[in-house]
Amino acid sequence: MTMETTSEQEPAGGSVGSAVTDEQLIAMLVDRARGDGLKLTGEGGLLQQLTKRVLESALDGEITDHVGYDKHDPAGRGNGNTRNGSRTKTVLTDVGPVEVRVPRDAVGTFEPQIVRKRQRRLTGVDDMVLSLSAKGLTHGEIAAHLAEVYGAEVSKQTISTITDKVMDGMAEWQNRPLDRVYPVVFIDAINVKIRDGQVANRPIYLAMAVTVDGHRDILGIWAGDGGEGAKHWLHVLTELKNRGVQDVLMLVCDGLKGLPEAVETVWPRTIVQTCVVHLLRNSFRYAARQDWDKIAKALRPVYTAATEDAATERFLEFAETWGKKYPAIVKLWEDAWAEFAPFLAFDVEIRKVICSTNAIESVNARIRKAVRARGHFPNEAAALKCVYMALMSLDPTAAGAGPCAGRHP
């Protein structure tokens, strides 16, 4: 099928006429393609031919601007630079591989922009690879997907090269300035498998804040060495302060031992709130399985009490009933009381937000999905890259300050 078309003359002063002409043109192309037995998609299909024609037309326009005269125009003779034929190259596009003719000039100064020198993929393909990788597909699965859907052979190394591009953006994001004050900051960690001599679990630390405007913002991600968690959190919190965070009103965590002291070192006036859900889970560790439901029912009046005084009364009742059988549970709550009680001073609507780390769990779930698909990582950088791309997929427009920023509709 020869891709030659004619357009009707646009009616004077009417954008509607132009729109109708475009629709008629598209319908004509589709009808001719079907009449000639030409596929709309796939190798050699209509979309590939249209893409080829659009790219080559754009390249012809670029060489015309560069040499200063239209093709076959006598005005170009003796002007110091002329067209010098073309060379063919195949670029991978959203509709599959497309072979295009790239024009050249006599003096070799032409630098095409729509298909740059040594460029083998258009931007949309890179975006597609990054999106698939962020959704948890391995490099092999991405290569298989591109081969099956687009008929394009893309090596795992090429896919790795594409995904490596995010590292520069990740470094910039990780070091960006932050707000001076955050009402609430949630911190949590997930374990990933990293091969460092041998495969072992390593923590990836994550901090998420609620801004004064009520939006959420991922402040950063950090890879730990598997050592003492509170010590590493002190390093993380210090970095956040160095990036501009002067005060945090409340920090919600999972009750890690030593963490309140680390927070006080960085932000002395910050209230530390232990996640109630984690506190309940830890309670069950000291109880027999058949008593879990009874203990959960007995503890519910404690964390749903109207005031801290009422919560204290309900806890004393719990201790009297279960203290002899499970003294470890009573001690657990007594030791955590100073970090458990702060949320009780707020209204019910606010309690729901700050009583647990649930606000960050949806983010963690997205990360875990991507991490599980990889199995384990060859090094720390590969693990952080995977986590960062998973976070980017939560904010594909990149309109916020960082992934999942929520500063846009």
Side-chain angles (χ1 to χ4, degrees), residues 53-74:
R53 183 60 60 90
V54 169
L55 290 176
E56 290 182 344
S57 295
L59 288 167
D60 284 340
E62 289 186 16
I63 190 68
T64 296
D65 290 340
H66 182 70
V67 298
Y69 68 94
D70 290 328
K71 194 173 185 179
H72 306 305
D73 189 340

Side-chain angles (χ1 to χ4, degrees), residues 18 33 125 153 191 199-200 229 240 260 299 328 351 376 385 389 408:
S18 176
V125 176
E153 298 296 330
N191 285 319
V199 177
L240 294 179
L299 285 172
R351 287 187 184 189
H376 68 271
K385 181 175 73 170
M389 288 195 294
H408 54 281

Side-chain angles (χ1 to χ4, degrees), residues 135-392:
K135 287 178 171 57
L137 273 69
T138 65
H139 291 174
E141 290 170 338
I142 295 173
H145 173 79
L146 294 175
E148 179 181 356
V149 177
Y150 301 100
E153 298 296 330
V154 182
S155 68
K156 294 181 182 180
Q157 181 57 48
T158 298
I159 294 171
S160 180
T161 300
I162 295 173
T163 57
D164 282 344
K165 292 180 181 179
V166 307
M167 297 304 287
D168 291 340
M170 174 182 166
E172 181 180 354
W173 170 77
Q174 184 75 15
N175 293 288
R176 75 193 189 278
L178 300 175
D179 294 349
R180 292 186 68 257
V181 177
Y182 289 104
V184 186
V185 169
F186 301 88
I187 61 174
D188 202 2
I190 63 171
N191 285 319
V192 302
K193 296 184 182 298
I194 297 177
R195 185 175 66 245
D196 186 9
Q198 60 181 6
V199 177
N201 281 330
R202 294 267 299 277
I204 298 292
Y205 297 96
L206 178 72
M208 186 187 80
V210 175
T211 71
V212 293
D213 297 323
H215 304 302
R216 62 178 183 173
D217 186 4
I218 303 296
L219 304 183
I221 53 177
W222 301 263
D225 56 10
E228 185 179 353
K231 183 178 180 181
H232 195 86
W233 273 120
L234 176 59
H235 166 76
V236 168
L237 300 179
T238 301
E239 179 181 318
L240 294 179
K241 185 173 183 179
N242 291 338
R243 288 167 57 193
V245 183
Q246 297 302 309
D247 195 12
V248 172
L249 303 186
M250 178 172 285
L251 185 138
V252 185
C253 60
D254 62 2
L256 179 66
K257 184 178 181 181
L259 186 55
E261 291 77 12
V263 175
E264 185 177 5
T265 300
V266 181
W267 299 303
R269 295 183 296 175
T270 297
I271 299 172
V272 177
Q273 172 66 53
T274 292
C275 172
V276 176
V277 175
H278 280 84
L279 193 56
L280 287 170
R281 290 174 183 170
N282 291 336
S283 300
F284 297 148
R285 292 167 51 192
Y286 299 106
R289 178 66 180 84
Q290 62 267 25
D291 290 332
W292 285 6
D293 291 342
K294 297 177 183 178
I295 290 175
K297 184 176 180 180
L299 285 172
R300 180 174 175 78
V302 178
Y303 61 84
T304 59
T307 64
E308 183 177 352
D309 289 340
T312 301
E313 292 179 8
R314 302 291 83 76
F315 177 70
L316 291 175
E317 294 172 358
F318 172 85
E320 183 177 350
T321 303
W322 292 96
K324 291 183 179 180
K325 186 173 184 179
Y326 297 120
I329 297 179
V330 175
K331 186 176 187 305
L332 174 69
W333 280 72
E334 289 176 342
D335 292 344
W337 193 265
E339 287 76 45
F340 155 75
F343 84 104
L344 295 172
F346 295 90
D347 294 337
V348 175
E349 291 77 10
I350 299 178
R351 287 187 184 189
K352 293 178 181 178
V353 177
I354 63 176
C355 73
S356 74
T357 57
N358 285 347
I360 206 172
E361 282 302 318
S362 62
V363 178
N364 286 343
R366 185 67 195 86
I367 295 173
R368 290 190 182 97
K369 181 179 179 181
V371 166
R372 281 197 300 266
R374 302 298 197 281
H376 68 271
F377 300 91
N379 51 52
E380 179 182 292
L384 286 174
K385 181 175 73 170
C386 175
V387 172
Y388 176 67
M389 288 195 294
L391 294 176
M392 282 199 302

